[in-house]
Amino acid sequence: MNIYIRYFDDETLCHNMGEVEEFLTGIGEINVTPKMLDDIAAYAESTMGYPKRMKTSARNFFIMIKTPLDTLAEFHANGKETREDNVAPQPVSESKYDEARTGWYRCEKKFKRMISVEGEGRKLVYVDSSIEVLVYANTPRECHTKVVDYLRSRDDVDSRSQYPSLKESNFTYEYQGATLS
C-alpha cells in the first residue's frame, strides 16, 4: 500500500518509509521526529481505511491517504474519476407549493403574533394565532407570500410578529377553482 502525502501545495506519493521521511524532511517547516515517523509507519501498516492528519504546528498539519496506485498522476486521475462518478444528476424536484394552478385558494396561516400584556409594566408576549383567507394566486407559494405580506402591512399586527416557514403544519391551502361561485 502506498501513501499520498500533502502539505499545502507540496504533495507526493510514497512507496516506503524512506520516501516518506525524505519528503517530510525536505519541507523546512516540518520538524520530523522519530515519534512522527513511528505514527506514520503504524498508520501505513494498520487496516485504517480513511485519511489521517498529522499536526506539524499549532495551526498546520499534513494529510496522508493510503492508496494502491503507483504514481501521482494515477492518484489524481483516480480522484477525478471518482468525483465524477459519484456526482449523480440531481432530479428537478418541484415542490407541491410550486404547482401552477391559477385561481382562488382558501388558505390558513399559523403565526406567532406579538401582543402587549397590561399589568406589571408593559410586557410583550408571542401568542399563537392564525388567519384564514381567500387568495387569488398562481401557486400555493404565491398564496403564502400574499398572506404574509398582508399580515406585515396591517397596522394592528406588530412588526415583531413571526411567520414560520412554508410547511404543512404552518400553512394549509385548498384550491377553490378559477372562479368563485
Side-chain angles (χ1 to χ4, degrees), residues 72-119:
L72 204 51
E74 287 177 326
F75 182 81
H76 286 296
N78 185 52
K80 186 175 182 181
E81 290 169 8
T82 303
R83 283 190 302 272
E84 289 171 358
D85 292 344
N86 288 341
V87 177
Q90 295 295 324
V92 176
S93 173
E94 194 170 288
S95 167
K96 68 178 184 175
Y97 297 112
D98 295 319
E99 292 175 11
R101 198 169 182 192
T102 303
W104 290 95
Y105 292 83
R106 180 175 306 281
C107 306
E108 181 180 8
K109 174 66 181 165
K110 295 178 182 175
F111 64 103
K112 300 279 187 183
R113 188 175 191 164
M114 174 70 80
I115 60 168
S116 61
V117 177
E118 298 299 326

Side-chain angles (χ1 to χ4, degrees), residues 99-158:
E99 292 175 11
R101 198 169 182 192
T102 303
W104 290 95
Y105 292 83
R106 180 175 306 281
C107 306
E108 181 180 8
K109 174 66 181 165
K110 295 178 182 175
F111 64 103
K112 300 279 187 183
R113 188 175 191 164
M114 174 70 80
I115 60 168
S116 61
V117 177
E118 298 299 326
E120 298 175 18
R122 202 167 160 166
K123 186 177 180 183
L124 298 172
V125 295
Y126 286 104
V127 176
D128 289 332
S129 302
S130 67
I131 183 173
E132 187 173 332
V133 293
L134 280 173
V135 179
Y136 188 83
N138 296 313
T139 65
R141 185 177 306 278
E142 184 181 344
C143 288
H144 180 266
T145 303
K146 285 184 175 185
V147 170
V148 171
D149 289 346
Y150 169 72
L151 289 168
R152 286 188 173 141
S153 70
R154 287 181 47 170
D155 292 334
D156 62 329
V157 177
D158 192 288

Side-chain angles (χ1 to χ4, degrees), residues 2-132:
N2 300 317
I3 299 177
Y4 168 80
I5 302 176
R6 182 180 183 103
Y7 180 74
F8 292 100
D9 290 336
D10 294 322
E11 63 182 354
T12 191
L13 191 70
C14 300
H15 302 87
N16 57 49
M17 283 305 295
E19 290 178 8
V20 169
E21 185 175 2
E22 182 181 329
F23 174 73
L24 293 175
T25 55
I27 300 172
E29 299 170 21
I30 299 178
N31 180 24
V32 181
T33 64
K35 182 180 180 334
M36 178 187 286
L37 292 174
D38 289 344
D39 288 347
I40 294 170
Y43 169 72
E45 294 170 9
S46 73
T47 58
M48 182 185 326
Y50 50 88
K52 179 174 178 66
R53 296 181 349 169
M54 293 207 64
K55 273 193 162 221
T56 60
S57 66
R59 295 183 187 157
N60 297 331
F61 61 90
F62 63 88
I63 190 166
M64 299 179 293
I65 301 172
K66 288 194 236 179
T67 179
L69 303 173
D70 290 323
T71 66
L72 204 51
E74 287 177 326
F75 182 81
H76 286 296
N78 185 52
K80 186 175 182 181
E81 290 169 8
T82 303
R83 283 190 302 272
E84 289 171 358
D85 292 344
N86 288 341
V87 177
Q90 295 295 324
V92 176
S93 173
E94 194 170 288
S95 167
K96 68 178 184 175
Y97 297 112
D98 295 319
E99 292 175 11
R101 198 169 182 192
T102 303
W104 290 95
Y105 292 83
R106 180 175 306 281
C107 306
E108 181 180 8
K109 174 66 181 165
K110 295 178 182 175
F111 64 103
K112 300 279 187 183
R113 188 175 191 164
M114 174 70 80
I115 60 168
S116 61
V117 177
E118 298 299 326
E120 298 175 18
R122 202 167 160 166
K123 186 177 180 183
L124 298 172
V125 295
Y126 286 104
V127 176
D128 289 332
S129 302
S130 67
I131 183 173
E132 187 173 332

